[in-house]
Amino acid sequence: MQAAWLLGALVVPQLLGFGHGARGAEREWEGGWGGAQEEEREREALMLKHLQEALGLPAGRGDENPARTVEGKEDWEMEEDQGEEEEEEATPTPSSGPSPSNQKPSPRKPRAAHDPCLSAVGRLAGLDAGLHQLHVRLHALDTRVVELTQGLRQLRDAAGDTRDAVQALQVAQGRAEREHGRLEGCLKGLRLGHKCFLLSRDFETQAAAQARCTARGGSLAQPADRQQMEALTRYLRAALATYNWPVWLGVHDRRAEGLYLFENGQRVSFFAWHRAPRPELGAQPSAAPHPLSPDQPNGGTLENCVAQASDDGSWWDHDCQRRLYYVCEFPF
């Protein structure tokens, strides 16, 4: 055990000091070479001094440039040797390295020069990375736009479906209102054959009254014959007695003066125009018209719509914009 310990104590220091020994031998060799150069410089300086004395030149003249040149050269060589030694010392030498004869000093690495091409390549790489990020964001934005477009299309389709549903509801509501008006007219009004009459106590123009009757499923009253006219007269007299209220009928001559038509476009076949009262027997007839009840129609182009008096059922022509009661007619 002691013999092994002694053997390790002898071998390990030798291995660790191998590199240092090699470096020391190299330095001794360089020191010997440096001493020989120093002796050579001294001999040259002495010979130069003797030559200056023989020529009569003052000391220190003529040897500045050669000496400085030699000294500068030697200094440069010494600085280079020192730099190489420092690099060798800075580089760790393993214990199992090559022998001093095979070891070569590492060459000095030149500094990397500033290359504009490398700078331009770096900038282009940065621009390429920025463009890549921009493309990623544009792709995300395009995806979002596509999603929004699809959502907008779905909303438009839903709005179209809702519009169709609303229109269907409006049609159904109109149909229900017309059916309700028809039933109300026949239940509350006068039923006569295949039609019913219902008085409305709202003041409307002739066109507005026709629109109201149409919305309720009918039209303004259109007595087709004298029998219907007499039944309508009794209904109005009973509803509005003891007053005389004119009510709109569905009769007019708006298309042509003197051509009276019903609202459905059929031509009127009979009339019940109001006539002024006749003078009593034995009285002298008067050529002047009655001031309060002249013969009808007398309005010309200014009065193109027909209303029926509620007391005697006679027809009067009136201005179509006048607001009167009206009678609606519903099919049964």
Side-chain angles (χ1 to χ4, degrees):
M1 182 68 180
Q2 293 180 356
W5 182 82
L6 291 175
L7 180 61
L10 292 174
V11 173
V12 171
Q14 292 297 330
L15 292 175
L16 294 176
F18 180 81
H20 297 285
R23 192 180 295 110
E26 185 177 1
R27 289 181 179 177
E28 290 177 1
W29 181 79
E30 290 178 353
W33 174 254
Q37 288 182 347
E38 184 67 25
E39 292 177 359
E40 184 68 16
R41 282 197 302 271
E42 290 178 357
R43 285 196 298 270
E44 289 179 358
L46 184 60
M47 291 176 64
L48 183 60
K49 183 177 180 182
H50 291 315
L51 181 60
Q52 289 178 350
E53 290 177 355
L55 295 176
L57 295 175
R61 288 289 186 90
D63 60 344
E64 294 178 0
N65 293 336
R68 288 181 180 179
T69 303
V70 174
E71 291 177 359
K73 181 177 181 182
E74 292 174 353
D75 293 339
W76 177 78
E77 292 177 351
M78 291 177 66
E79 290 177 357
E80 185 177 17
D81 295 338
Q82 291 178 0
E84 293 176 355
E85 291 177 359
E86 292 176 357
E87 291 180 358
E88 291 176 358
E89 292 177 357
T91 305
T93 305
S95 59
S96 62
S99 62
S101 60
N102 296 331
Q103 188 175 5
K104 295 182 180 180
S106 60
R108 185 178 297 175
K109 296 180 180 180
R111 290 184 178 181
H114 180 70
D115 193 353
C117 294
L118 295 177
S119 177
V121 170
R123 292 182 180 181
L124 288 175
L127 290 175
D128 184 68
L131 288 175
H132 177 69
Q133 294 293 333
L134 182 61
H135 289 163
V136 171
R137 294 183 180 180
L138 287 176
H139 176 70
L141 181 61
D142 184 65
T143 304
R144 185 59 179 167
V145 169
V146 170
E147 293 176 354
L148 290 176
T149 303
Q150 293 177 354
L152 183 60
R153 186 180 299 109
Q154 293 176 358
L155 288 176
R156 188 181 295 112
D157 295 340
D161 296 340
T162 304
R163 188 185 306 110
D164 296 339
V166 169
Q167 291 178 356
L169 287 175
Q170 291 176 350
V171 171
Q173 182 180 3
R175 188 184 302 112
E177 289 180 356
R178 289 191 296 271
E179 186 65 21
H180 177 266
R182 186 181 66 82
L183 293 175
E184 184 182 17
C186 292
L187 290 175
K188 294 182 179 181
L190 173 64
R191 179 179 174 183
L192 185 62
H194 61 279
K195 63 175 61 176
C196 302
F197 296 103
L198 179 64
L199 173 66
S200 177
R201 298 174 184 267
D202 297 328
F203 291 99
E204 298 289 350
T205 63
Q206 201 270 352
Q210 171 63 22
R212 294 282 296 272
C213 292
T214 302
R216 298 178 65 180
S219 65
L220 283 175
Q222 307 175 59
D225 51 30
R226 191 165 298 277
Q227 181 182 0
Q228 292 183 8
M229 184 66 196
E230 292 176 356
L232 181 59
T233 300
R234 291 191 298 267
Y235 169 69
L236 293 177
R237 185 184 300 117
L240 297 175
T242 58
Y243 302 98
N244 181 17
W245 293 95
V247 295
W248 287 122
L249 299 178
V251 179
H252 61 85
D253 64 342
R254 290 188 297 261
R255 183 176 300 178
E257 180 62 26
L259 179 60
Y260 289 91
L261 304 174
F262 289 117
E263 289 293 336
N264 58 10
Q266 294 182 0
R267 189 169 183 175
V268 178
S269 60
F270 77 98
F271 299 93
W273 295 114
H274 173 77
R275 297 299 180 212
R278 300 301 180 195
E280 296 179 358
L281 295 175
Q284 295 292 331
S286 177
H290 196 282
L292 298 180
S293 57
D295 292 342
Q296 299 294 319
N298 65 341
T301 58
L302 298 178
E303 298 177 348
N304 297 319
C305 295
V306 177
Q308 180 178 342
S310 62
D311 56 350
D312 59 357
S314 59
W315 290 9
W316 296 65
D317 60 344
H318 291 283
D319 183 4
C320 295
Q321 298 301 317
R322 186 176 178 181
R323 303 172 68 88
L324 303 174
Y325 290 167
Y326 58 93
V327 178
C328 293
E329 175 185 299
F330 302 97
F332 180 75

